[in-house]
Amino acid sequence: MKKHLLLLALAALSACHPGYHLTNRTASRIGVDSLSAATDSRVARFLTPYRQGLEKTMNEVLARSTARIEKGQPEGPLNDLLTDALLKQAIERYGKPIDCSHLNYGGIRNNLPEGNITTGSIFEVMPFDNQLIVLTMTGDMLRQMLNHFAKGDKLVIGGLRAKLHNGQLQSATFTNGRTLQPNETYTVVMSDYVANGGDEAGFLKNPIKSENINYLMRDALIDYFRQLGKTGQPINPVSDGRISIE
């Protein structure tokens, strides 16, 4: 416990005080068992303002929901909500149209609760520091991507309606009016994890263009839900049928 408190203290000092800079350092071995109760007390007092600040941040209510928002296969209310959120926020940050968004199903780590949705709720859904990447790709590559994730009912998309049959894409229509053509180019926003070949999507490592828009997926979601909350209208979680199975 004492060792953990010291590590937390060092982490808090570096993370919460960006104005401080380390100019000199020395190292010496400290026996953990030799730390006294007084040392524990001093460390606890040191950490108190950081803990209080963290609790205040995590407990901020961003929006409210009329029901629990759950992910699902082949589609779920949370799938739709998150991909729509990422698409909207990415377009604002990118400053140009983006055709669709993608989110790997396994990256959705929790559901959202009924009632208050807090910053902490979003951290539980998206605990990793993944960046949003905009890939420009051909229609052939996009079709390959959609088929890849359609296997096992793990296709999570925004800005696109897809019809599947036996785990294969039959047709795709974008909400911006475009259709999927093999030789046309499309922009897709996704996590850097998938863009770099994660989830066995190595074929995505050679797109026409890859652009990091310097926006954490989690921050994009927090911004989106905060904007929803400011409207005063609660979220009514539904699936809109964007993934249909024939």
Side-chain angles (χ1 to χ4, degrees):
M1 177 64 182
K2 297 173 181 177
K3 184 177 181 181
H4 289 163
L5 285 170
L6 283 177
L7 292 174
L8 284 170
L10 293 173
L13 182 60
S14 62
C16 300
H17 280 297
Y20 289 93
H21 301 283
L22 186 65
T23 58
N24 188 28
R25 61 183 178 184
T26 58
S28 60
R29 185 180 300 273
I30 299 175
V32 174
D33 293 338
S34 67
L35 296 177
S36 65
T39 300
D40 273 357
S41 178
R42 288 195 297 271
V43 172
R45 287 197 302 272
F46 173 78
L47 290 176
T48 295
Y50 305 107
R51 184 179 64 249
Q52 292 172 342
L54 181 62
E55 289 174 352
K56 181 178 180 181
T57 296
M58 290 299 174
N59 291 330
E60 178 192 356
V61 177
L62 304 173
R64 290 183 55 82
S65 178
T66 59
R68 183 175 169 86
I69 312 175
E70 299 184 332
K71 70 177 186 177
Q73 294 173 282
E75 186 184 359
L78 187 59
N79 308 25
D80 295 356
L81 182 60
L82 295 182
T83 48
D84 288 349
L86 293 176
L87 182 58
K88 178 181 181 296
Q89 296 305 124
I91 289 172
E92 290 182 8
R93 176 63 66 99
Y94 190 54
K96 291 181 285 186
I98 299 172
D99 291 305
C100 64
S101 60
H102 169 268
L103 182 59
N104 57 312
Y105 185 80
I108 306 173
R109 308 302 287 193
N110 204 355
N111 298 307
L112 286 172
E114 179 181 358
N116 290 341
I117 296 173
T118 64
T119 300
S121 304
I122 304 302
F123 268 78
E124 291 177 1
V125 169
M126 195 71 55
F128 308 113
D129 290 338
N130 289 117
Q131 296 279 345
L132 282 174
I133 303 293
V134 176
L135 294 187
T136 302
M137 64 181 73
T138 65
D140 275 339
M141 180 178 281
L142 179 53
R143 177 177 288 274
Q144 184 180 3
M145 186 194 89
L146 296 174
N147 279 327
H148 175 73
F149 288 103
K151 296 174 183 177
D153 293 331
K154 293 183 178 180
L155 182 59
V156 184
I157 51 172
L160 183 70
R161 300 183 73 85
K163 292 183 179 180
L164 310 177
H165 179 70
N166 291 332
Q168 291 290 305
L169 183 72
Q170 297 300 299
S171 65
T173 304
F174 297 87
T175 56
N176 62 11
R178 300 188 68 187
T179 57
L180 185 58
Q181 301 297 327
N183 297 318
E184 291 188 13
T185 60
Y186 302 87
T187 48
V188 186
V189 63
M190 64 184 69
S191 73
D192 56 348
Y193 168 71
V194 174
N196 291 327
D199 224 349
E200 299 183 354
F203 56 90
L204 291 176
K205 293 194 287 185
N206 295 298
I208 295 171
K209 185 189 297 184
S210 177
E211 299 170 273
N212 187 332
I213 61 174
N214 298 311
Y215 201 8
L216 287 178
M217 298 178 72
R218 184 174 56 242
D219 289 347
L221 295 177
I222 290 171
D223 289 343
Y224 179 83
F225 281 93
R226 185 179 285 121
Q227 290 172 15
L228 283 183
K230 288 179 179 178
T231 69
Q233 297 298 314
I235 299 168
N236 296 305
V238 294
S239 298
D240 62 13
R242 67 187 62 180
I243 305 290
S244 59
I245 309 295
E246 295 184 339

